[in-house]
Amino acid sequence: MDISVVIPLLNEEESLPELATWIERVMQENHFSYEILFVDDGSTDDSWQVICSLREKNSNIRGIKFQRNYGKSAALNEAFRAAQGDVIITMDADLQDSPDEIPELFRMIREDRYDLVSGWKKVRYDNTVTKNIPSKFFNAVTRRVSKIKLNDFNCGLKAYNRKVVKSIEVYGEMHRYIPVLAKWAGFKKIGEKVVEHRKRKYGVSKFGWDRFINGFLDLLSITFVGKFSKRPMHFFGVWGMVFFMIGILSAFYLLILKIFSSDFSITNRPFFYISLVAIIIGVQLFMAGFIGELISRNAPGRNTYLVEAKTGLD
C-alpha cells in the first residue's frame, strides 16, 4: 500500500464527508493505493456514525473510536500502530489542511528519501494574538532546543517513512514534538514543505492556551529523556558532584579560617549554611542518579535499540 492518511478528530461530523471525498479524489487522480484511517478521540457528536457511513461507501476508509477523549497524541500513536502504508501522512480533520499537498509530500519521502517532512503554514488564517504570535515563540524555542531547523513543529500536516512511525511512541502532548522523537530515534533526514493553510470551515478549535504551557513542559521532558534515559547518572551524578564539591570546598575554607583565627565562629556565618545545603543537594542528586541508574539497568527496555540494518545475521 502506498499511503496511509491518518486523521485524528474530535467533534468534526460536518467536515468529514467533504474531507473524505477530497482525499479520495486526490488518490484516484494520482493512482495511489491508500487507506484513510480516522481516529475518533471520544467525540460527543455524530462523528463516528459519519465515519461508519463513509466506510460503507469506500472500503479504503478505516476507523478507530476511543471510549473517551485521550488527546491527539494517543490518537496518533494508535493510528501509527494500525497504519499499513509505506508512507504515512497525518492531517487535521477541520479542512484547514489541504489533501492536494499529499502527492508532493509522498514524492519527498519516496524520491528525496526524507524520513519525515513537516508542513509549514507560512501564511496562517488563525487569530494573531491567541495563536500566531505564541506559535512563533513556541517554534523558536523548540528549534533552538532541538537543533532541528523547522519553522512549524505544530503543523498537523506531516509525512513519514513507515519506519519512523513504527519506531516511536507518541504520548502525553508529544504530538508537537514528533520530529524531535524521530531525531532521538536516529532518523536525521527531516525536511519541510510550505503548505496551504485554509480558513476553518466548520466547528471551533479544540486547543486552548494550556497547550503552550504543557508543550514547553513536554519539550523539557523529551529533551531529558532523549539524552539521559539510558544513563541518568551522567546528568544527576555530574550535578551532584558539582554541588557536593562546592559544599566541601566552602566548608574547608571555613575550617581554615577557624584554624588561623580562634575567635572566628563557623556556625554564625551564612557561608556555613550555604555549604551545608550544597552538600545535602549534592548527595541527593547523586543518590537520584544512582537510583535512576538501577531502574534503567533493570528496565525491560534497557537494551532495546533500533537497528537500521544487518548483514550475515538473521
Side-chain angles (χ1 to χ4, degrees):
M1 184 182 294
D2 293 326
I3 299 175
S4 293
V5 182
V6 169
I7 305 172
L9 63 106
L10 176 65
N11 297 333
E12 299 285 358
E13 61 178 344
E14 295 174 303
S15 63
L16 295 180
E18 184 176 341
L19 179 60
T21 301
W22 192 352
I23 294 172
E24 184 179 359
R25 175 179 59 78
V26 171
M27 296 300 179
Q28 290 176 348
E29 288 176 353
N30 291 274
H31 307 290
F32 291 135
S33 57
Y34 73 99
E35 65 177 353
I36 305 174
L37 187 52
F38 289 109
V39 185
D40 185 347
D41 187 22
S43 295
T44 55
D45 64 359
D46 291 330
S47 292
W48 182 246
Q49 286 74 18
V50 172
I51 293 170
C52 291
S53 65
L54 291 172
R55 163 73 181 176
E56 293 176 358
K57 301 173 185 176
N58 184 350
S59 61
N60 294 310
I61 292 176
R62 304 167 65 201
I64 298 171
K65 178 175 173 56
F66 285 166
Q67 184 70 26
R68 65 174 180 83
N69 177 243
Y70 287 99
K72 189 173 182 178
S73 292
L76 288 175
N77 193 67
E78 195 67 21
F80 287 165
R81 292 169 59 185
Q84 299 176 0
D86 295 329
V87 175
I88 286 80
I89 294 176
T90 61
M91 62 172 50
D92 294 334
D94 53 15
L95 293 173
Q96 289 190 284
D97 296 331
S98 171
D100 289 333
E101 306 283 356
I102 290 175
E104 179 60 16
L105 290 170
F106 178 80
R107 188 198 66 78
M108 293 177 73
I109 297 292
R110 271 288 182 86
E111 297 180 15
D112 296 342
R113 301 295 182 182
Y114 281 100
D115 296 314
L116 185 158
V117 178
S118 180
W120 175 16
K121 299 173 182 176
K122 197 170 184 178
V123 178
R124 298 179 62 113
Y125 294 98
D126 294 321
N127 185 282
T128 302
V129 176
T130 60
K131 283 201 171 183
N132 291 359
I133 293 176
S135 181
K136 287 182 179 180
F137 177 72
F138 166 84
N139 284 310
V141 172
T142 306
R143 189 163 53 245
R144 185 176 182 84
V145 172
S146 67
K147 303 294 189 298
I148 300 175
K149 296 179 180 180
L150 294 180
N151 290 283
D152 192 356
F153 284 84
N154 202 30
C155 179
L157 185 57
K158 290 183 172 67
Y160 309 85
N161 185 301
R162 176 186 173 90
K163 288 177 63 177
V164 175
V165 303
K166 299 300 182 182
S167 302
I168 61 175
E169 181 182 7
V170 190
Y171 58 93
E173 299 290 330
M174 295 299 184
H175 59 272
R176 301 180 181 90
Y177 302 112
I178 292 181
V180 184
L181 291 172
K183 179 185 175 182
W184 287 123
F187 299 100
K188 301 293 178 64
K189 194 168 183 182
I190 298 174
E192 187 171 56
K193 180 187 181 301
V194 176
V195 296
E196 178 187 5
H197 184 230
R198 301 162 57 85
K199 291 183 179 180
R200 176 179 275 275
K201 190 172 182 178
Y202 305 106
V204 296
S205 174
K206 311 303 187 298
F207 299 100
W209 276 89
D210 59 336
R211 72 189 190 278
F212 294 109
I213 298 174
N214 295 336
F216 285 121
L217 293 175
D218 283 331
L219 178 59
L220 294 175
S221 174
I222 195 174
T223 301
F224 176 81
V225 170
K227 287 185 176 180
F228 302 107
S229 62
K230 293 188 181 293
R231 44 190 175 89
M233 183 60 85
H234 288 196
F235 177 82
F236 291 106
V238 168
W239 283 106
M241 289 178 63
V242 169
F243 277 96
F244 186 78
M245 291 306 299
I246 290 173
I248 288 295
L249 292 174
S250 300
F252 185 71
Y253 170 73
L254 293 173
L255 183 61
I256 294 296
L257 292 179
K258 179 65 174 178
I259 292 173
F260 285 96
S261 174
S262 58
D263 295 332
F264 183 80
S265 177
I266 294 179
T267 56
N268 288 335
R269 304 283 173 171
F271 211 46
F272 169 77
Y273 296 100
I274 292 174
S275 66
L276 192 63
V277 170
I279 291 172
I280 293 172
I281 291 175
V283 170
Q284 288 181 330
L285 286 173
F286 187 84
M287 291 304 298
F290 181 70
I291 294 171
E293 197 75 18
L294 288 176
I295 294 172
S296 176
R297 289 177 181 272
N298 288 279
R302 64 189 179 278
N303 282 321
T304 300
Y305 307 101
L306 298 175
V307 178
E308 183 173 355
K310 290 183 179 181
T311 181
L313 296 170
D314 293 332

